[in-house]
Amino acid sequence: MEFRPCIDIHNGQVKQIVGGSLVDKNDEAQENFVAVKGAAYYAELYRKKGLRGGHIILLNPESSPYYERTKEQALRALAADPGGLQVGGGIHIENAACFLEAGASHVIVTSYVFYDGHIHMDRLEKLSQTVGKEHLVLDLSCRKRADGYYIVTDRWQKFTQEKVDERILELLAGYCDEFLIHAVDVEGKSQGIEEELVRQLGVWGSRPGGIPITYAGGVHSYEDIELLRALGGDRIHVTIGSALDIFGGGLVLDEVLRRCAKRY
């Protein structure tokens, strides 16, 4: 189990938000924390601590008047830690190379592949071939419905018809290097993890040929870290946002790192 850091950027500022509150209209979101420092500061902090595989998420669409400010913050973070961070948010076939050339280790993609409510294998195949499987992370962030967890797109606002289950994980694993999965219903609420989802991911992650999975959403205590380890079989990586002390929360980053690095 590894800790994967995050830098979420909205309206040109590093923020922690309630995931389900994000809307494109007027670029609004319910904020938990707004940083005084820029994205490069956090990237440099992660680099000094030897953290790899973290993700930068641009939370404004390209149509937003804030997008260029948000993108500039992301590029500064990539420059501060070349090869150490992944980047996502509005990534598509035309702009993926730009972020890789700027220093991203991977690009993170959802909406381009899960377009108009369902998966487009032609887009996925072309993207994987273009950037290289080893540079692609698929974001399967999801929200719960009565019969399971469904992938959501467009900054977590639109449900697709695609369920996060064994079938889709097996299908997609051949085209990417990792999965990133936000449990959107609990994202930013600091009320505990989505246990059922973590348990399902742990079962899949235990199978031969599985690829790394990073889970985000609801971690607000050290006990949550231990619960995630147990339910995920010590195979699911974790990212923590609002609950971390560097983002105004109560969990001390160094203690989180110590607990994630424990081996049984």
Side-chain angles (χ1 to χ4, degrees):
M1 180 182 186
E2 298 176 5
F3 176 76
R4 300 291 183 87
C6 65
I7 303 173
D8 295 343
I9 310 171
H10 182 245
N11 296 355
Q13 294 176 285
V14 175
K15 294 183 182 180
Q16 287 295 317
I17 68 168
V18 176
S21 73
L22 187 64
V23 292
D24 289 347
K25 184 179 180 181
N26 300 322
D27 294 288
E28 295 177 348
Q30 182 180 334
E31 299 169 347
N32 287 330
F33 175 83
V34 180
V36 174
K37 299 182 184 296
Y41 166 82
Y42 292 96
E44 179 69 10
L45 173 66
Y46 300 151
R47 186 188 65 79
K48 288 179 178 178
K49 290 185 177 294
L51 299 174
R52 313 290 288 179
H55 55 273
I56 303 167
I57 302 296
L58 290 74
L59 293 173
N60 294 103
E62 287 183 293
S63 59
S64 166
Y66 294 99
Y67 177 78
E68 289 302 324
R69 286 169 53 188
T70 292
K71 180 181 177 182
E72 179 60 28
Q73 284 288 327
L75 294 176
R76 290 178 183 178
L78 293 174
D81 187 11
L85 293 163
Q86 307 167 358
V87 64
I91 304 294
H92 48 74
I93 195 76
E94 287 80 17
N95 67 5
C98 161
F99 289 101
L100 291 172
E101 291 167 2
S105 66
H106 298 69
V107 288
I108 306 168
V109 177
T110 307
S111 299
Y112 177 75
V113 170
F114 296 93
Y115 175 72
D116 198 25
H118 59 90
I119 188 169
H120 287 250
M121 292 303 298
D122 56 335
R123 289 188 169 202
L124 176 57
E125 290 169 0
K126 185 176 181 180
L127 182 65
S128 184
Q129 291 171 2
T130 300
V131 304
K133 176 182 183 291
E134 69 277 13
H135 296 299
L136 180 60
V137 174
L138 289 177
D139 185 341
L140 308 185
S141 293
C142 54
R143 307 185 79 163
K144 191 173 184 180
R145 284 184 161 167
D147 63 334
Y149 294 91
Y150 283 81
I151 295 168
V152 288
T153 65
D154 298 276
R155 291 153 302 284
W156 308 327
Q157 296 169 74
K158 297 180 181 178
F159 273 94
T160 71
Q161 301 171 30
E162 305 293 350
K163 187 188 293 188
V164 179
D165 57 17
E166 179 182 345
R167 177 194 66 84
I168 203 161
L169 292 171
E170 293 286 353
L171 172 65
L172 300 179
Y175 296 92
C176 64
D177 201 40
E178 298 184 14
F179 293 130
L180 171 64
I181 302 180
H182 292 81
V184 177
D185 292 325
V186 297
E187 175 74 17
K189 295 183 178 179
S190 294
Q191 295 176 353
I193 65 175
E194 195 75 82
E195 296 184 23
E196 181 183 347
L197 175 61
V198 172
R199 188 178 290 109
Q200 292 176 11
L201 296 175
V203 170
W204 184 82
S206 68
R207 299 184 179 185
I211 63 175
I213 299 173
T214 297
Y215 168 88
V219 176
H220 76 302
S221 68
Y222 298 121
E223 290 73 23
D224 281 338
I225 296 172
E226 298 303 329
L227 179 60
L228 193 148
R229 183 198 303 279
L231 294 177
D234 204 19
R235 289 177 289 270
I236 308 301
H237 304 321
V238 63
T239 188
I240 304 172
S242 300
L244 273 185
D245 59 346
I246 60 173
F247 297 126
L251 300 185
V252 178
L253 176 57
D254 286 342
E255 177 62 13
V256 168
L257 298 180
R258 187 188 72 80
R259 288 178 179 249
C260 287
K262 285 174 62 178
R263 293 291 182 266
Y264 294 97

